[in-house]
Amino acid sequence: MDYKNTNAASTTITYDKTKIEAPTNNIYEAITIMAKRAEQISGDLKSELIEKLEEFATYTDSLDEVFENKEQIEVSKFYEKLPKPTAIAVQEWLEGKVYYRNPETDTKE
């Protein structure tokens, strides 16, 4: 999924509790689902960032050779400016983009 083009808030905002709990009718279940989705998003963003930074990695044996790589700094700044994974997860939840199921309540036929 493309997290760079999300319309999630980059700052802290207050959400309506009834909108968050509406799909599950249980606020705790909704928060748990959003937390698991935020962990998935965080892992995706972290692996993507590491992959991009690997392109700029230099492997030297000496600690004396430290230099700044401007492209690497720009990539890092870009990822720092993205909304937090929790904000993206909440936005996806409110837009109905998160698939979830509860095996205890689902019946097998």
Side-chain angles (χ1 to χ4, degrees):
M1 180 162 215
D2 189 20
Y3 304 114
K4 296 166 196 77
N5 295 329
T6 184
N7 56 355
S10 58
T11 60
T12 304
I13 62 171
T14 304
Y15 294 99
D16 185 9
K17 179 179 118 9
T18 56
K19 289 181 182 178
I20 289 178
E21 71 180 354
T24 61
N25 295 323
N26 185 336
I27 189 70
Y28 301 108
E29 186 176 353
I31 290 172
T32 302
I33 293 167
M34 289 185 289
K36 289 181 180 182
R37 179 63 183 137
E39 288 177 14
Q40 291 174 342
I41 294 169
S42 178
D44 291 347
L45 287 174
K46 184 177 180 180
S47 63
E48 187 176 313
L49 174 62
I50 289 172
E51 181 181 313
K52 289 192 182 217
L53 291 178
E54 284 286 322
E55 297 174 7
F56 305 113
T58 57
Y59 302 101
T60 59
D61 296 334
S62 174
L63 293 176
D64 297 332
E65 297 181 28
V66 177
F67 61 93
E68 293 183 3
N69 188 334
K70 291 184 181 186
E71 292 88 10
Q72 185 177 6
I73 293 171
E74 290 300 319
V75 169
S76 297
K77 283 183 179 180
F78 174 78
Y79 277 91
E80 287 177 3
K81 290 179 185 176
L82 287 177
K84 303 295 180 216
T86 51
I88 296 172
V90 171
Q91 187 65 33
E92 287 180 355
W93 176 257
L94 293 174
E95 293 175 355
K97 295 180 179 178
V98 177
Y99 171 77
Y100 66 94
R101 65 183 180 89
N102 188 344
E104 295 175 1
T105 59
D106 293 345
T107 57
K108 293 183 179 180
E109 296 180 21

